[in-house]
Amino acid sequence: FRAANDKNRKGYIVYRSVNGASFAPIDTFNYTATGTLQYVDNHLDTRGKTHAYFVRSLDSCGNVAQPHDTHQVVLLDVSAQNSYNRLSWTHYRGFGSWRYTVERRSPGTSWMKLSTTVYPFFDDHAVRCDTLYEYRILTEELFTLYSSLSNTDTATAYEINKPLVPDII
């Protein structure tokens, strides 16, 4: 997040909501630096729960600012289907104008862009049924190019159509 520029800033209060519950303060810290600051929230279940955050600054007189924009990371779920993998995810909350980039990799390869969309779902039909694929969603703000990555999830598509029996002559 971008730090407050007030001369009498003293620190920040970080609030978190889990699975859409009410926001609650999780940390207060004194820090007067300016520019872009980073807060790390460790040991989260990002596979099964959504986490949303906002930050409020406080000054040396004890005044607390209004909250800044909420930031909620995308929660991705991938399920194997007959000859394809189905991806669905929660909507991103935080940027004004954004897009989703679907990325995939298989073991030993780099992340590859599959598609860009504004919708929270994608079916990957370009898969082999014997290969494990890992997916993630990159959310990008359209004007500043700020970005946020989802959790990763894996799937191996399956084939339910049996091959034709060959004629033996």
Side-chain angles (χ1 to χ4, degrees), residues 29-42:
F29 56 95
N30 294 334
Y31 200 70
T32 59
T34 59
T36 301
L37 302 180
Q38 179 176 330
Y39 180 83
V40 178
D41 193 7
N42 292 309

Side-chain angles (χ1 to χ4, degrees), residues 45-102:
D45 174 9
T46 58
R47 174 65 179 96
K49 298 178 181 177
T50 59
H51 297 82
Y53 297 87
F54 70 78
V55 177
R56 296 173 76 179
S57 62
L58 54 111
D59 66 18
S60 58
C61 297
N63 298 312
V64 179
Q66 293 294 318
H68 77 47
D69 292 337
T70 300
H71 172 75
Q72 178 175 299
V73 177
V74 165
L75 179 60
L76 172 64
D77 181 53
V78 181
S79 61
Q81 304 292 316
N82 181 23
S83 301
Y84 69 96
N85 290 325
R86 171 160 286 160
L87 289 73
S88 60
W89 56 90
T90 59
H91 269 297
Y92 176 82
R93 285 177 44 196
F95 301 140
S97 299
W98 41 261
R99 67 176 168 240
Y100 300 120
T101 300
V102 178

Side-chain angles (χ1 to χ4, degrees), residues 1-13:
F1 62 94
R2 275 189 237 136
N5 289 324
D6 301 336
K7 291 182 181 181
N8 65 342
R9 71 187 166 284
K10 180 181 176 186
Y12 301 91
I13 305 168

Side-chain angles (χ1 to χ4, degrees), residues 3 5 17 19 31 39 45 75 84 123-124 134 148 169:
N5 289 324
S17 167
N19 284 340
Y31 200 70
Y39 180 83
D45 174 9
L75 179 60
Y84 69 96
D123 288 341
D124 184 8
E134 182 178 19
S148 176
I169 301 173

